[in-house]
Amino acid sequence: MKNTWKFLGAAVLVSILSFTTPESKKRIVIDAGHGGQDIGATHGFYSEKQIVSNIAKQIASQNRNTEIEIILTRDDDEFSSLQERTEKINKLQPDLVISLHVNKNTNEEANGIEAYVSEQNERFEASKAHAEELISVLSDNKLRSRGVKIAPMYLLKNTKSPAVVLELGFLSNANDRSYLSSNTGQKEIAQKILEYLAR
């Protein structure tokens, strides 16, 4: 009986410690798409790589939640291949990967935010659930929802964690471009993502 109580006491101690160690934090990777010579979508002076980098930095700087650890795949204008990004992410073993991008279309009326997930990702169901919730949180009268779509994107299918690509709007659309390129818009997007992560 004495040994049983010792075992239970040890189990309780392990349980308590598991919620107070750094490993108990929610680890989130924010991947700002493109970088360096890979500019991404452009319109005039605006570039995808800069807009998503700004938003990623806003997410990191606005985070005050000690239970959430934000890790950026890049915090400057550097280029790394999709394979390099994916390898880095898999070493980190995050709870969620959000890859930020901006869209462009020859049809200037095309607008809104959409999410992509891959059925080849081993955490597909979790990825899809996160994507649906993120779209719900981020879409409003400023960015309309274009829903969640399936695509075999390299990062999505090769990441071993739940992973979502967010196309945050269209640079080719005047309203989306105005919002995405503004400091206010970038801060609001970052804040909404953080609010979702804190749930």
Side-chain angles (χ1 to χ4, degrees), residues 79-116:
F79 172 80
S80 60
S81 69
L82 288 172
Q83 182 178 354
E84 289 170 332
R85 289 172 191 246
T86 304
E87 288 175 355
K88 178 179 179 179
I89 288 166
N90 286 336
K91 285 178 182 177
L92 291 167
Q93 299 181 323
D95 297 285
L96 176 63
V97 180
I98 302 176
S99 187
L100 305 177
H101 292 264
V102 173
N103 234 325
K104 187 176 182 179
N105 198 297
T106 53
N107 175 13
E108 295 182 359
E109 296 301 312
N111 67 93
I113 181 171
E114 58 193 12
Y116 288 87

Side-chain angles (χ1 to χ4, degrees), residues 30-49:
I30 303 295
D31 173 53
H34 309 281
Q37 70 272 21
D38 182 8
I39 300 171
T42 61
H43 189 283
F45 297 107
Y46 303 113
S47 69
E48 178 178 7
K49 70 170 186 175

Side-chain angles (χ1 to χ4, degrees), residues 25-30 55-72 187 189-199:
K25 285 187 176 183
K26 192 184 293 184
R27 178 174 287 181
I28 309 297
V29 167
I30 303 295
I55 294 171
K57 289 176 183 177
Q58 282 288 344
I59 293 171
S61 65
Q62 286 189 41
N63 181 36
R64 299 289 183 271
N65 191 327
T66 58
E67 298 303 312
I68 298 175
E69 179 185 9
I70 301 293
I71 302 172
L72 306 183
K187 283 184 175 180
I189 291 170
Q191 183 178 8
K192 287 180 178 182
I193 290 174
L194 282 171
E195 287 172 355
Y196 170 70
L197 296 176
R199 291 181 176 181

Side-chain angles (χ1 to χ4, degrees), residues 2-197:
K2 189 179 291 185
N3 288 338
T4 301
W5 282 113
K6 283 182 180 178
F7 173 80
L8 289 173
V12 170
L13 181 60
V14 169
S15 177
I16 292 170
L17 288 175
S18 69
F19 290 100
T20 58
T21 59
E23 286 73 25
S24 68
K25 285 187 176 183
K26 192 184 293 184
R27 178 174 287 181
I28 309 297
V29 167
I30 303 295
D31 173 53
H34 309 281
Q37 70 272 21
D38 182 8
I39 300 171
T42 61
H43 189 283
F45 297 107
Y46 303 113
S47 69
E48 178 178 7
K49 70 170 186 175
Q50 188 59 58
I51 288 173
V52 296
S53 177
N54 291 348
I55 294 171
K57 289 176 183 177
Q58 282 288 344
I59 293 171
S61 65
Q62 286 189 41
N63 181 36
R64 299 289 183 271
N65 191 327
T66 58
E67 298 303 312
I68 298 175
E69 179 185 9
I70 301 293
I71 302 172
L72 306 183
T73 55
R74 70 178 178 93
D75 57 8
D76 55 19
D77 187 19
E78 62 184 15
F79 172 80
S80 60
S81 69
L82 288 172
Q83 182 178 354
E84 289 170 332
R85 289 172 191 246
T86 304
E87 288 175 355
K88 178 179 179 179
I89 288 166
N90 286 336
K91 285 178 182 177
L92 291 167
Q93 299 181 323
D95 297 285
L96 176 63
V97 180
I98 302 176
S99 187
L100 305 177
H101 292 264
V102 173
N103 234 325
K104 187 176 182 179
N105 198 297
T106 53
N107 175 13
E108 295 182 359
E109 296 301 312
N111 67 93
I113 181 171
E114 58 193 12
Y116 288 87
V117 293
S118 171
E119 290 179 318
Q120 294 168 271
N121 181 296
E122 59 188 57
R123 302 292 305 280
F124 168 67
E125 291 299 333
S127 299
K128 186 180 177 185
H130 281 298
E132 290 170 347
E133 288 296 320
L134 281 163
I135 287 294
S136 176
V137 167
L138 289 165
S139 59
D140 53 21
N141 61 328
K142 297 170 184 174
L143 290 173
R144 78 174 186 90
S145 170
R146 294 172 61 91
V148 177
K149 302 176 182 180
I150 308 295
M153 297 177 182
Y154 184 91
L155 187 144
L156 291 178
K157 67 182 183 180
N158 290 292
T159 299
K160 296 178 181 179
S161 303
V164 178
V165 164
L166 286 177
E167 292 281 0
L168 295 167
F170 287 74
L171 276 183
S172 46
N173 178 268
N175 290 330
D176 281 8
R177 182 171 63 251
S178 176
Y179 183 65
L180 291 169
S181 63
S182 70
N183 190 48
T184 298
Q186 292 169 8
K187 283 184 175 180
E188 285 181 358
I189 291 170
Q191 183 178 8
K192 287 180 178 182
I193 290 174
L194 282 171
E195 287 172 355
Y196 170 70
L197 296 176

